């Protein structure tokens, strides 16, 4: 076997200093943008950098300056759901675009278990990120406590109880949106409107259930509410099947997310129910689940990518401009399609 070629040695500040004929201290001041460097020395250093192929060691400089230029994107979801959820994906892409424009790196941190919670809390405490965008936070979760203890610049998508008091928030009015789409189902003549209520341990799920309850008023029947843990297709399918066994007279279902609604449509199909002729179905998110479902879903549009963009900007505002934390509310709207 022929020997492996020797790895090319990385050019150093010393190499630049030798080539340019100026001191290492002057080269360091130039590279780090610290202190005065004469025009003649600047030109000599620039020519030397090009000649020797010097690339600044950003990691070492950031360590010295106690800067990572990295922001955590923390998702409290099972890994499989995180990968398959287009809504979270859009939020992530929006946040990453804003961070990239500001020359900051995103570190994706998935919290799927108690062990993950401890690991992520240690990671945050280690100074590897300068701030955090938090998605799907549960009520009073340990990560929020760690963010508050570390005084880490942060922004939550949503406003969970027990969130860090020093954080910013970007939200939609889940309560009002859920009330509006439930009202849409009522106005179409449906009177036995069920809800598959998901993720009640976070503000979005609890607020959507509250909006549904408010919109029904005297028509509200707790027997028509089926609760599930996650915003998942499988959860929606199983919940709808259980609901139909218990209440075969249901004529509409409001599902707490599009994935849940798509699962409900599958359960209705297997039970021989037509959508929307026998049972109308409405979702929430206006994600790709809504357009690929058969029939396509009437749903609430929430601007997922913009939620990520605004959350990332709120973190950067705290980091780069020492801005005070604040809350931003974005608009949502009903999108009417074939399912209702």
């Amino acid at each position: 076997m022929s020997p492996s070629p020797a790895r090319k040695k990385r050019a150093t500040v010393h190499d630049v200093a030798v080539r340019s004929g100026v001191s290492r201290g002057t080269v360091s001041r130039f590279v780090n943008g610290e202190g005065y460097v004469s025009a003649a020395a600047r030109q000599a250093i620039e020519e030397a950098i090009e000649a020797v192929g010097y690339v600044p060691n950003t990691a070492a400089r950031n360590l010295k300056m106690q800067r990572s230029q990295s922001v955590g994107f923390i998702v409290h979801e099972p890994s499989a759901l995180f990968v398959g959820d287009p809504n979270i994906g859009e939020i992530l892409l929006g946040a990453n675009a804003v961070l990239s424009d500001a020359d900051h790196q995103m570190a994706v941190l998935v919290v799927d278990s108690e062990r993950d919670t401890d690991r992520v809390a240690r990671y945050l405490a280690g100074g590897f990120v300068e701030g955090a965008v938090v998605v799907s936070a549960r009520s009073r979760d340990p990560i929020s406590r760690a963010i508050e203890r570390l005084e880490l610049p942060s922004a939550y998508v949503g406003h969970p109880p027990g969130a860090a008091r020093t954080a910013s928030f970007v939200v939609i009015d889940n309560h009002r949106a859920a009330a509006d789409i439930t009202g849409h189902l009522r106005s179409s003549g449906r009177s036995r409107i069920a809800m598959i209520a998901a993720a009640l341990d976070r503000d979005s799920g609890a607020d959507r259930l509250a909006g549904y309850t408010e919109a029904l008023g005297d028509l509200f029947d707790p027997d028509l509410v089926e609760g599930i843990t996650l915003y998942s297709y499988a959860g929606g399918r199983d919940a709808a099947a259980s609901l139909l066994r218990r209440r075969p007279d249901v004529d509409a279902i409001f599902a707490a997310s599009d994935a849940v609604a798509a699962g409900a449509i599958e359960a209705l199909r297997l039970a021989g129910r037509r959508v929307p002729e026998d049972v109308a179905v409405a979702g929430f998110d206006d994600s790709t689940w809504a357009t690929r479902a058969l029939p396509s879903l009437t749903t609430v549009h929430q601007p997922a990518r913009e939620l990520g963009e605004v959350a990332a900007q709120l973190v950067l505002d705290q980091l780069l401009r020492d801005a005070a934390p604040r809350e931003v509310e974005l608009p949502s709207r009903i999108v009417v399609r074939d399912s209702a």
Side-chain angles (χ1 to χ4, degrees):
M1 181 183 292
S2 59
S4 300
R7 187 175 179 180
K8 185 178 178 180
K9 183 182 177 183
R10 181 186 180 119
T12 66
V13 167
H14 175 74
D15 299 323
V16 176
V18 170
R19 180 82 181 199
S20 64
V22 302
S23 70
R24 289 183 58 177
T26 302
V27 174
S28 293
R29 287 200 305 277
F30 173 81
V31 169
N32 294 319
E34 301 171 347
Y36 173 75
V37 178
S38 70
R42 184 183 300 273
Q43 182 177 347
I45 293 168
E46 287 174 346
E47 291 173 355
I49 285 173
E50 185 174 352
V52 304
Y54 173 73
V55 178
N57 188 335
T58 304
R61 186 166 73 245
N62 285 342
L63 183 63
K64 178 182 176 183
M65 299 172 65
Q66 295 187 319
R67 290 283 309 277
S68 69
Q69 284 190 272
S70 182
V71 172
F73 185 87
I74 304 174
V75 182
H76 294 247
E77 296 287 6
S79 301
L81 189 61
F82 165 58
V83 171
D85 189 321
N87 208 49
I88 294 176
E90 286 294 307
I91 294 171
L92 183 151
L93 290 173
N96 187 65
V98 170
L99 294 172
S100 178
D101 285 346
D103 201 26
H104 279 61
Q105 180 63 42
M106 174 187 286
V108 179
L109 306 167
V110 180
V111 180
D112 191 2
S113 65
E114 186 174 337
R115 181 173 178 272
D116 286 339
T117 299
D118 295 338
R119 173 182 56 81
V120 170
R122 290 195 304 272
Y123 186 85
L124 297 178
F128 297 103
V129 296
E130 295 181 73
V133 172
V134 187
V135 180
S136 300
R138 273 46 170 185
S139 299
R140 300 172 184 84
D141 67 88
I143 296 297
S144 293
R145 292 198 294 271
I147 288 171
E148 184 165 22
R149 184 176 66 253
L150 296 166
E151 298 182 344
L152 193 69
S154 59
Y156 288 76
V157 177
H159 199 156
R165 288 172 293 181
T166 55
S168 291
F169 303 91
V170 55
V171 301
I172 65 165
D173 190 340
N174 284 285
H175 185 288
R176 178 47 47 202
D180 288 346
I181 201 161
T182 304
H184 172 76
L185 294 172
R186 284 195 67 174
S187 67
S188 67
R190 312 288 171 156
S191 59
R192 295 175 298 281
I193 303 170
M195 180 177 183
I196 302 176
L200 295 176
D201 59 346
R202 62 191 89 163
D203 61 305
S204 60
D207 286 349
R208 291 172 197 180
L209 176 59
Y212 158 85
T213 303
E214 177 190 279
L216 286 181
D218 293 342
L219 284 180
F220 174 71
D221 180 352
D223 195 45
L224 286 171
V225 177
E226 189 77 19
I228 58 176
T229 304
L230 300 169
Y231 293 122
S232 71
Y233 176 91
R237 180 196 60 214
D238 296 345
S242 174
L243 192 60
L244 288 172
R245 287 192 296 270
R246 187 173 71 251
R247 290 295 299 266
D249 60 336
V250 65
D251 63 5
I253 296 175
F254 167 42
S257 81
D258 292 341
V260 173
I265 287 176
E266 174 64 8
L268 289 165
R269 184 188 68 79
L270 292 173
R273 304 293 183 90
R274 298 169 301 163
V275 178
E277 293 86 352
D278 300 324
V279 182
V281 177
F284 202 110
D285 288 336
D286 198 21
S287 66
T288 53
W289 278 109
T291 52
R292 72 189 188 201
L294 290 174
S296 59
L297 280 170
T298 289
T299 187
V300 172
H301 174 81
Q302 64 167 328
R305 189 173 292 237
E306 190 178 355
L307 287 167
E309 292 170 350
V310 173
Q313 190 58 58
L314 289 170
V315 173
L316 291 172
D317 287 346
Q318 293 180 60
L319 277 174
L320 305 179
R321 287 176 278 283
D322 201 26
R326 61 194 182 99
E327 181 168 318
V328 176
E329 182 176 313
L330 300 181
S332 61
R333 67 181 189 276
I334 293 176
V335 179
V336 178
R337 297 194 181 95
D338 297 334
S339 69

